[in-house]
């Protein structure tokens, strides 16, 4: 399987897909987990637990602790609802939580936006190489740093 696309639900449909995926993994979809997921979907760039806690605190008019957010984000990563952008120590929502495969992130050093790309040929080759070296890959993380088209165009103008 090579580069491929997905139907990516948005809004309430994405929340429903996330809830179904979390419940399939044996976890409960609580109000707090829903709020964290909804807050994460509102960010255009990868968001840290502190970013999410700040947004939720402002929206709810009460302080939300980042430690609570971290625990939920870890659960979301394990349940395939979110992915961690390692180099930014931040998270992006998985827009297709029903599909589990390795991801490639294109991280713009200009604006910080992160684009998620699926190319199983690349990640399968990486897994094969690791296995051939006697290593059991669990969660390959591929991040490519550079400039997005918008930042390149702005720099050229």
């Amino acid at each position: 399987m090579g580069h491929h696309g997905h139907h990516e639900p948005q809004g309430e449909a994405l929340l429903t897909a996330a809830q179904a995926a979390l419940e399939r993994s044996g976890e409960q979809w609580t109000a707090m987990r829903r709020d964290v997921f909804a807050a994460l979907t509102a960010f255009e760039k990868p968001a840290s637990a502190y970013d999410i806690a700040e947004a939720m605190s402002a929206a709810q008019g009460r302080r939300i602790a980042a430690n609570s957010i971290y625990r939920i984000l870890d659960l979301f990563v394990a349940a395939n609802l979110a992915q961690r952008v390692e180099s930014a120590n931040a998270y992006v929502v998985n827009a297709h939580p029903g599909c589990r495969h390795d991801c490639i992130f294109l991280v713009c050093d200009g604006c910080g936006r992160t684009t998620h790309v699926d190319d199983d040929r690349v990640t399968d080759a990486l897994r094969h190489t690791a296995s051939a070296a006697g290593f059991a890959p669990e969660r390959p993380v591929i991040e490519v740093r550079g400039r997005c088209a918008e930042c390149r165009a702005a720099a050229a103008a």
Side-chain angles (χ1 to χ4, degrees):
M1 184 185 324
H3 180 79
H4 59 276
H6 297 276
H7 166 70
E8 295 186 352
Q10 297 178 346
E12 220 30 68
L14 180 56
L15 289 170
T16 300
Q19 178 179 354
L22 188 64
E23 289 173 345
R24 272 194 309 274
S25 75
E27 296 289 341
Q28 293 183 352
W29 184 253
T30 65
M32 179 70 164
R33 291 173 181 176
R34 181 187 195 288
D35 291 347
V36 170
F37 190 82
L40 183 59
T41 65
F43 285 91
E44 290 185 14
K45 300 176 190 175
S48 70
Y50 290 96
D51 295 332
I52 295 167
E54 186 176 303
M56 288 177 60
S57 294
Q60 296 181 11
R62 63 184 179 95
R63 184 180 172 282
I64 306 293
N67 286 344
S68 299
I69 306 299
Y70 271 119
R71 284 190 294 276
I72 292 171
L73 289 170
D74 286 344
L75 173 68
F76 285 175
V77 169
N80 199 38
L81 302 185
Q83 293 133 349
R84 186 168 186 263
V85 180
E86 301 288 337
S87 63
N89 191 25
Y91 300 81
V92 294
V93 74
N94 181 359
H96 44 87
C99 180
R100 183 176 291 277
H101 51 82
D102 302 320
C103 300
I104 300 167
F105 293 112
L106 308 177
V107 182
C108 180
D109 289 328
C111 66
R113 282 206 177 102
T114 299
T115 303
H116 161 219
V117 180
D118 300 321
D119 191 330
D120 294 329
R121 295 169 301 180
V122 172
T123 57
D124 285 349
L126 181 65
R127 283 179 172 280
H128 175 75
T129 300
S131 295
F135 188 80
E138 293 179 9
R139 189 176 62 91
V141 176
I142 302 171
E143 296 182 22
V144 180
R145 306 290 305 211
R147 299 270 176 191
C148 69
E150 290 177 27
C151 287
R152 285 194 335 268

